[in-house]
Amino acid sequence: MMRVLFITLAIAALATPALSADRFSGYYNRECGTRHVCDLRIDRTGPTRWRVTWEPFVWRGDSKPVCRREFSAQIGGPAGTFIDGIAHGKVGGGLVGIVDRGLGKLEVRTDGGCAGILMGGTYEAVGD
């Protein structure tokens, strides 16, 4: 019985990316323009899926977000191909690409945003 359980777990581990290799989960931010700071929170919802929340704040403002965009992202590429280090999703009808740049940096590629603030750019991990 234990041998069957071990073999099943080993096969499952090979079939899905390791949780320790999660390149996206975390809290990131960047300056987005001269008046705003953009926060990006990414939480794992599955082996290859994440929930992404983007919020721009007025620099040294009242700590209330100007707006919020939430969407799901998943690893993949054309025709469902697995591409390590790249996730994609849709927000407001537009496409979003998230690329792992290493050393705690993510690049978000999109034309989306809100109130004249663009979501796209390079974000750095906050904290340790």
Side-chain angles (χ1 to χ4, degrees), residues 6-7 9 11 18 20 44 48 55 57 70 81 86 97 114 122 125:
F6 177 76
I7 291 171
L9 290 174
I11 291 171
S20 63
R44 182 184 285 274
T48 61
E55 296 176 319
F57 294 86
E70 295 180 300
T81 348
I86 299 175
C114 65
T122 300

Side-chain angles (χ1 to χ4, degrees), residues 5-37:
L5 178 61
F6 177 76
I7 291 171
T8 303
L9 290 174
I11 291 171
L14 291 173
T16 59
L19 290 177
S20 63
D22 183 357
R23 296 172 166 220
F24 302 105
S25 292
Y27 175 56
Y28 304 86
N29 70 17
R30 73 179 188 94
E31 291 183 22
C32 45
T34 57
R35 296 194 56 222
H36 296 92
V37 175

Side-chain angles (χ1 to χ4, degrees), residues 54-108:
W54 176 76
E55 296 176 319
F57 294 86
V58 173
W59 181 257
R60 295 188 177 156
D62 58 7
S63 298
K64 293 181 183 173
V66 174
C67 65
R68 173 183 287 180
R69 298 288 183 257
E70 295 180 300
F71 59 96
S72 293
Q74 63 185 21
I75 288 181
T81 348
F82 181 85
I83 302 174
D84 193 27
I86 299 175
H88 71 281
K90 284 190 176 184
V91 61
L95 294 174
V96 177
I98 302 173
V99 181
D100 174 27
R101 292 294 180 203
L103 301 174
K105 293 183 181 182
L106 293 179
E107 182 181 347
V108 175

